[in-house]
Amino acid sequence: MGVSRLLGISFLAGVFALGSTFHLTASISMQHQRQLVRIPQSIWRQASHRHQEHIHRMLAPGLTAWDNPLNSGLQRNHPHPNSANDDSIRALDPRHPIYNFLIEYYGLKGVKGPRRLARWSPSPGILLQDETTKIESLEQLDELSSLYTAGGTSSKTSNIGVVLEDVVEDDFADNLHIRGASIEENGDVIYSPSLYFGKGDESRSKDNTRLAAPFLWYRSILEQTISSEPILHCYGLHEWAMQYQPENAPPPPSAQYQKHLPLRVSRKIINDTVERKGISCTHVDALRFFAQDALPLNRFGGPLERNDQVRLEQSGCVHAHMDLLKMALKLQSFCDPILLERVLEVALEARTLDVAASPYDASSYGVGVVAVDTPEGRAEYRTKQRALMKRVEPVRQNLLSAYNTLIALAFDDLILKEASHRLPKNRP
């Protein structure tokens, strides 16, 4: 059986439950000992636990209480925490105006959703060197994990995978990514983009052409955004356009969005703010939720199509910052965990500005107001938008480097050429 066999949770659970060993990668590791970088259990556990702590700290304000029905599975399988310092990863609150975008936009539902963020796997950056075959410290792990940010060597390395030593069943329940993991008969686990995607395996060329296309698409979005001129006069009015309702118009369907929150301004102020100078929204997905009467007021057209995204995505857009999380999640389990933490951090910052500038009153959740319906508020928004854009810029650059690394490690040139034909065509 080939090493590129993909492991599902039920299959993996069966292997452990039967107490058997699975001869999946023994032949590969014997042939390529010098092409595997090993991480001892003591080191990867430190990295995994640190990652979980960081994710929990960022998500904590948006997590539901232990006894919430959304945590029913957690309640069945784990004892009730006795400590006030409970660090369990629970379901996100679908009513929290900052954190509910993780559920609604990126599908991080129930307990499994945030736990997906907390799972750990080694960075493919470790593979971009040939000197180290065994990592000796957490500091060395961090240094090698970030090599992808320098770029340039991803297709030349002779290393094919990272081995985690002495993995046990419970690690896949709470700590490690299952997707992309290959089990050796001694309990070690290999994470290898080239083996997982079957690079060079002609029998998988059709599947890999399909699988490669989304990576190329997201890479093109990142490249476009980095090279774009930012738009710094949109003032976050996409949220106002969702609530736009001129006289005699029916209630906009998106008025149901965040319906548990009161509006902090009148409908007249919403309409006047939208109509003052129109809207300058470039984000394809935001436009899908505009009230129909607001679409003609957008300078960049409406509705937009998916192929417009690669033409219009720009570096000042708070929704483009949030979408970095969607792109990082696409890379899992071949995304540097530290990069994922940085992406989540800036995505939450962007969401906070997004809600603060909206017409909703989110003060009960500790969210302030950026009153873009006033000149002072628009100036404040622009200042915060610029500052956020500068914080996001290196994160976006690193995410592009992560995409370049995975694409080079996982797919050969012929697959990439065929996959490029599947991308949406740009409109002039």
Side-chain angles (χ1 to χ4, degrees), residues 54-364:
H54 290 175
I55 294 296
H56 182 270
R57 184 172 65 247
M58 285 187 277
L59 296 183
L63 296 176
T64 54
W66 175 270
D67 56 0
N68 189 291
L70 292 172
N71 298 314
S72 58
L74 193 63
Q75 296 158 12
R76 286 194 302 270
N77 299 321
H78 296 268
H80 192 289
N82 296 317
S83 171
N85 298 318
D86 174 30
D87 62 354
S88 61
I89 301 290
R90 304 179 299 279
L92 292 163
D93 181 356
R95 295 171 63 86
H96 196 295
I98 301 300
Y99 291 86
N100 59 7
F101 85 105
L102 298 173
I103 303 170
E104 295 168 357
Y105 298 172
Y106 309 130
L108 298 175
K109 301 176 181 178
V111 175
K112 290 182 179 180
R115 282 198 167 191
R116 179 182 172 187
L117 293 172
R119 290 183 183 275
W120 187 87
S121 54
S123 168
I126 297 167
L127 301 176
L128 305 187
Q129 51 81 39
D130 292 321
E131 293 79 19
T132 300
T133 58
K134 186 168 184 176
I135 291 176
E136 303 292 346
S137 68
L138 184 62
E139 292 73 22
Q140 185 184 30
L141 173 61
D142 289 344
E143 180 182 355
L144 297 182
S145 294
S146 66
L147 288 178
Y148 69 92
T149 62
T153 61
S154 56
S155 61
K156 299 177 183 178
T157 179
S158 62
N159 287 320
I160 61 170
V162 180
V163 180
L164 305 187
E165 297 181 346
D166 303 318
V167 174
V168 298
E169 177 182 0
D170 285 349
D171 291 321
F172 286 104
D174 297 314
N175 300 328
L176 300 178
H177 281 288
I178 296 162
R179 178 180 181 270
S182 301
I183 306 173
E184 292 191 274
E185 61 181 358
N186 65 354
D188 293 346
V189 168
I190 293 180
Y191 289 92
S192 166
S194 62
L195 299 178
Y196 180 77
F197 288 101
K199 184 177 182 179
D201 183 350
E202 293 184 3
S203 69
R204 296 181 59 185
S205 59
K206 184 175 181 180
D207 283 343
N208 280 347
T209 298
R210 174 180 54 81
L211 292 171
F215 295 107
L216 295 180
W217 171 251
Y218 284 136
R219 181 172 71 176
S220 70
I221 298 300
L222 290 166
E223 291 171 337
Q224 157 63 24
T225 310
I226 289 169
S227 66
S228 69
E229 286 294 324
I231 292 174
L232 300 172
H233 56 268
C234 73
Y235 306 119
L237 291 183
H238 53 278
E239 295 284 353
W240 298 68
M242 292 165 59
Q243 294 286 346
Y244 181 62
Q245 186 182 359
E247 189 175 356
N248 298 322
S254 291
Q256 297 300 307
Y257 175 71
Q258 304 278 40
K259 63 182 180 180
H260 59 286
L261 296 176
L263 293 173
R264 65 171 182 82
V265 295
S266 68
R267 185 70 61 183
K268 182 179 187 306
I269 290 178
I270 291 175
N271 293 345
D272 289 347
T273 302
V274 171
E275 294 168 357
R276 187 183 71 89
K277 285 191 175 180
I279 310 162
S280 298
C281 184
T282 57
H283 197 268
V284 173
D285 292 309
L287 272 133
R288 292 192 295 116
F289 298 97
F290 274 30
Q292 285 298 309
D293 291 300
L295 288 172
L297 300 177
N298 187 40
R299 286 187 177 84
F300 296 94
L304 298 175
E305 298 178 8
R306 180 57 58 192
N307 56 0
D308 291 308
Q309 187 174 4
V310 76
R311 177 174 61 90
L312 292 176
E313 200 86 324
Q314 47 85 22
S315 56
C317 176
V318 295
H319 266 271
H321 303 336
M322 288 187 269
D323 278 350
L324 295 180
L325 182 59
K326 174 172 63 176
M327 299 178 191
L329 289 170
K330 179 64 180 176
L331 289 176
Q332 284 183 325
S333 56
F334 302 114
C335 179
D336 175 18
I338 294 176
L339 174 61
L340 179 65
E341 294 168 18
R342 295 171 63 209
V343 168
L344 178 60
E345 183 178 32
V346 296
L348 290 171
E349 286 186 49
R351 177 61 166 182
T352 301
L353 178 58
D354 190 39
V355 174
S358 76
Y360 311 112
D361 179 0
S363 58
S364 61

